[in-house]
Amino acid sequence: MQTLKQKHRPFCLSVKGQVKMLRLALTVTSMAFFIIAQAPEPYIVITGFEVAVIFFFIILYMLRLDRLIDCLFWPLLDIINSMVTAIFMIIISVLALIPETTTFIVLGGVFGLLAAVCCIADGALIYRKLLFNPSGPYQKKPIHDKI
């Protein structure tokens, strides 16, 4: 019996990879504007932490460590991270946009809101993949092969 091997698409070329890269770029831009404007420290710390976490997930998926470290259910962690990041970025961005502040803080807030939209899109993409393909690549053997 010949098994069909699935063609592997690099993470950077997938839709999920593109959305995650865009999310990283928008968060880094927001953090840069907050640093330039000398915004309050929580704005810089939260965006900096989110940059580190997004970078971790990108490296994890690029090196395919999610398949190697199978004791954790990575899609669920990624969805939770996307939603928590979206909430934090919305709060920080709204707080940055409410008072009369400098142009750079306003730009940081706008880019933060765009990053929050990307976080929601990223979480929705992962959720959709889990919903329509729950076994996905995380299942060791197909169910029909068990005898």
Side-chain angles (χ1 to χ4, degrees):
M1 183 169 126
Q2 184 181 6
T3 59
L4 296 174
K5 191 171 185 179
Q6 218 177 33
K7 190 171 183 175
H8 170 67
R9 176 189 285 185
F11 174 73
C12 295
L13 300 178
S14 68
V15 175
K16 185 171 85 168
Q18 296 293 320
V19 170
K20 209 165 276 296
M21 299 284 190
L22 179 63
R23 181 177 153 191
L24 178 66
L26 289 171
T27 308
V28 166
T29 306
S30 177
M31 183 179 70
F33 281 132
F34 287 147
I35 290 172
I36 291 170
Q38 296 178 347
E41 287 88 13
Y43 297 0
I44 299 168
V45 169
I46 289 175
T47 53
F49 176 72
E50 296 305 336
V51 165
V53 171
I54 297 166
F55 188 69
F56 165 76
F57 274 106
I58 289 173
I59 294 298
L60 177 91
Y61 289 133
M62 282 178 63
L63 298 177
R64 301 181 57 82
L65 294 175
D66 58 328
R67 297 184 189 242
L68 186 65
I69 307 170
D70 58 354
C71 59
L72 295 173
F73 192 57
W74 291 105
L76 181 62
L77 290 176
D78 206 355
I79 290 172
I80 291 170
N81 171 258
S82 294
M83 294 304 116
V84 169
T85 301
I87 291 169
F88 276 141
M89 292 304 288
I90 289 171
I91 291 170
I92 291 297
S93 299
V94 168
L95 288 175
L97 293 173
I98 287 177
E100 296 288 327
T101 57
T102 66
T103 305
F104 286 123
I105 292 179
V106 171
L107 285 172
V110 169
F111 276 95
L113 285 175
L114 291 173
V117 170
C118 281
C119 291
I120 294 168
D122 188 26
L125 280 172
I126 298 166
Y127 177 74
R128 195 179 115 227
K129 182 182 180 327
L130 283 177
L131 188 64
F132 292 122
N133 190 12
S135 61
Y138 302 99
Q139 185 176 355
K140 296 282 185 204
K141 292 182 180 177
I143 294 173
H144 57 78
D145 285 349
K146 291 183 180 179
I147 295 177

